[in-house]
Amino acid sequence: MIITKKKDFKELMGNIRNYRSFFLIGCSECASLCGTGNEEAIRDMTEALKAEGKEVTGGFVPKTGCQVLGTKKELKAFKDELGRTDCILVMSCGAGTQTAVELFEDKAVYPANDSLFLGNMTRFQMFDERCSLCGQCILDKTGGICPVTTCPKGLLNGPCGGMQDGHCEVSPDIPCAWVRIYERMKKLDKLQELCETVVEAKDWSQGQKPRALSTREKKEKTRS
Amino acid sequence: MSFREALESEKFVVTAEVGPPKGTDIDEMIHHIELLKGKVDAVNFTDNQSAVMRMNSLAGCKIALEHGVEPILQMTCRDRNRIGLQSDLLGAYALGVKNVLCMTGDHVSAGDHKGAKSVYDLESVQLLRVVDALNNGKDMSGNDLKGSTDFFQGAVVTPEANPLEPQLIKFEKKVKAGARFFQTQAIYDIEKFREFMNHARKFPVKILAGLVVLKSAGMAKFLNNFVPGIVVPEELIEELKAAGKEKALDTGLDICARHIKQLKEEGICDGVHIMAIGMEDRVPEILERAGLL
């Protein structure tokens, strides 16, 4: 999921100082799991804004804030509230914020959160980055552990000389990705494979921004 | 005799290390180059070592050539992408540099520009393959070069890494990727190094043992606690302590010379790489004590 963090409230207030009335949009997916865009977060934000003398016309948690048409449909029920709003505050990730930008061409849209990374929730309110969306998954070669993401240098062929007692030179809190990969491949009896595979330099053009994907054409063809 | 010829002739080879200056004043670097001239087979020029920004390695190499000393260009993957790395390699070769040491490079978080963006477009194994390609007249994308390189390429290995096995796997990959020689991370336990060499001897590569001069018991403890892959045995720390503060450095020089002597006499490895770190002017003395001058 996309991990988000609430922006510093003072910073946020500075950003939206010129607006008076707000409509809040959360998200029931990642931002809810992160506690940044669920019903409770919307309630808290409403109170905080009111305490600052702002008006809150309403708030809503769409099912999937990055799904443009679905969110548009859900927001139809709030036509009046939105009409009385001069700023939309989006409490999900950057993608959710840009859904609102697409839906409300003539209204100010501001992010309430910082989008951090793609990660896993390891425990309640604890998140680890696990995937860099590099566009060329090599988990098949590394025992399912991603060195592109979990090694600060993104090394593809083994640990660097900075590894100490299984930890990273960048911080003792980071376990060495390559020691983890080694241990897992050993358990799976695949060390031979690990020795023999030299992972080629990545083709970063696969991650050239902005990326887009459409699988529509293919499906239509299959149907016909 | 060139560094490469020396290694291939089975001579016990000695290399030392010089860090280019932080700034444009090259007097001290030239002084160190002159001191090492005729006493070592080649001198490594570090590449923004510890991610601390300095003059580049290539300038150091060129200045060494002008002073009649054979350089080894250290090249890390931290600061340049594949275009920059290949371009600098071609330039280095055109300027007369024949040896290159391919490394991943310390992370920027260790250095003095912590907000810098790390590159690591390639890493050491892949960089070795790139050097091999350039030697064969091709760039990394398979395009023909107008004039190829003929680099003698090396890599680094940490014989005392813990755990060791992942490091040995990478060592093997580096050999397969074309590394012809290795300069190791500093070693202090000759018996443990002998075990590593028993493994390394299975591969057709030359190994130079890395040596860092111990200046005091405090420095030895610092290396043990804070520098990955370096283990100074307790008996050496005791030896430095027993020497007292005034004689600690002298004892450190003795330990280094003693290790060189043992490595050579017992034919444990193919040479040594002395990383003096601020004591470049004492390297000739170490070599004298080791009976190499």
Side-chain angles (χ1 to χ4, degrees), chain B residues 10-276:
Chain B
E10 310 284 314
K11 174 182 180 281
F12 189 80
V13 165
V14 178
T15 57
E17 178 181 284
V18 169
K22 191 171 186 85
T24 56
D25 182 348
I26 55 174
D27 290 351
E28 193 186 4
M29 181 171 73
I30 290 174
H31 171 65
H32 290 151
I33 290 169
E34 289 289 349
L35 265 176
L36 295 168
K37 187 175 176 176
K39 299 192 173 74
V40 298
D41 294 281
V43 175
N44 285 46
F45 285 85
T46 54
D47 178 8
N48 295 299
Q49 195 174 19
S50 303
V52 172
M53 192 286 294
R54 292 161 170 275
M55 181 181 289
N56 69 356
S57 170
L58 179 52
C61 289
K62 177 62 179 163
I63 292 163
L65 284 166
E66 285 166 1
H67 287 81
V69 168
E70 185 173 352
I72 298 173
L73 176 76
Q74 292 197 181
M75 243 199 171
T76 74
C77 298
R78 178 190 56 236
D79 309 320
R80 286 158 291 192
N81 69 7
R82 65 192 73 179
I83 298 172
L85 288 167
Q86 292 179 98
S87 167
D88 281 0
L89 282 166
L90 294 181
Y93 192 77
L95 292 175
V97 176
K98 297 285 167 65
N99 313 298
V100 57
L101 187 74
C102 301
M103 319 161 85
T104 295
D106 298 319
H107 194 268
V108 294
S109 61
D112 65 350
H113 285 64
K114 294 186 197 299
K117 183 174 185 181
S118 296
V119 181
Y120 302 116
D121 181 27
L122 305 181
E123 34 90 302
S124 52
V125 176
Q126 292 158 352
L127 182 59
L128 283 161
R129 285 183 148 196
V130 169
V131 173
D132 193 52
L134 298 180
N135 281 350
N136 286 296
K138 299 274 188 194
D139 73 9
M140 207 183 148
S141 293
N143 300 307
D144 288 327
L145 299 176
K146 188 176 173 189
S148 51
T149 60
D150 185 20
F151 280 120
F152 186 54
Q153 69 270 43
V156 296
V157 63
T158 307
E160 297 234 27
N162 177 40
L164 182 59
E165 294 81 359
Q167 180 71 201
L168 294 181
I169 291 174
K170 192 159 186 182
F171 167 76
E172 223 176 302
K173 285 192 186 188
K174 286 177 176 180
V175 175
K176 280 185 201 154
R180 321 269 281 276
F181 70 92
F182 281 82
Q183 289 173 313
T184 78
Q185 173 59 291
I187 56 115
Y188 291 97
D189 186 330
I190 304 296
E191 288 319 304
K192 267 169 99 180
F193 182 64
R194 198 193 299 269
E195 279 170 38
F196 165 77
M197 282 307 301
N198 286 340
H199 174 74
R201 283 286 185 228
K202 295 173 198 153
F203 303 93
V205 288
K206 301 291 181 181
I207 311 265
L208 310 187
L211 301 171
V212 170
V213 181
L214 295 170
K215 294 172 205 170
S216 63
M219 175 187 172
K221 283 180 195 161
F222 177 85
L223 292 174
N224 276 347
N225 292 334
F226 298 107
V227 183
I230 298 188
V231 182
V232 185
E234 203 51 44
E235 62 259 31
L236 291 186
I237 298 176
E238 287 304 319
E239 193 178 334
L240 289 162
K241 263 192 208 160
K245 265 194 181 160
E246 301 226 321
K247 289 228 161 156
L249 174 58
D250 193 59
T251 305
L253 295 172
D254 264 343
I255 291 170
C256 188
R258 193 167 81 211
H259 284 167
I260 295 173
K261 218 171 170 184
Q262 189 184 356
L263 291 166
K264 181 173 188 266
E265 280 172 4
E266 297 179 21
I268 297 172
C269 57
D270 306 298
V272 288
H273 175 55
I274 304 167
M275 296 168 270

Side-chain angles (χ1 to χ4, degrees), chain A residues 47-94:
Chain A
E47 278 170 33
L49 288 173
K50 281 182 177 166
E52 295 287 326
K54 304 283 187 187
E55 185 194 341
V56 178
T57 60
F60 178 63
V61 178
K63 188 184 172 299
T64 309
C66 53
Q67 217 265 66
V68 181
L69 294 181
T71 305
K72 185 180 181 181
K73 211 171 161 187
E74 287 177 285
L75 286 172
K76 274 186 180 156
F78 299 93
K79 206 175 165 221
D80 292 347
E81 291 90 334
L82 284 158
R84 286 185 277 116
T85 299
D86 53 24
C87 180
I88 292 170
L89 198 56
V90 183
M91 299 171 60
S92 59
C93 64

Side-chain angles (χ1 to χ4, degrees), chain A residues 153 157 165 169 197 200 202, chain B residues 82 105 123 129 162 173:
Chain A
K153 298 178 185 178
N157 282 297
D165 303 329
E169 71 175 4
T197 313
E200 297 289 336
K202 287 187 83 70
Chain B
R82 65 192 73 179
E123 34 90 302
R129 285 183 148 196
N162 177 40
K173 285 192 186 188

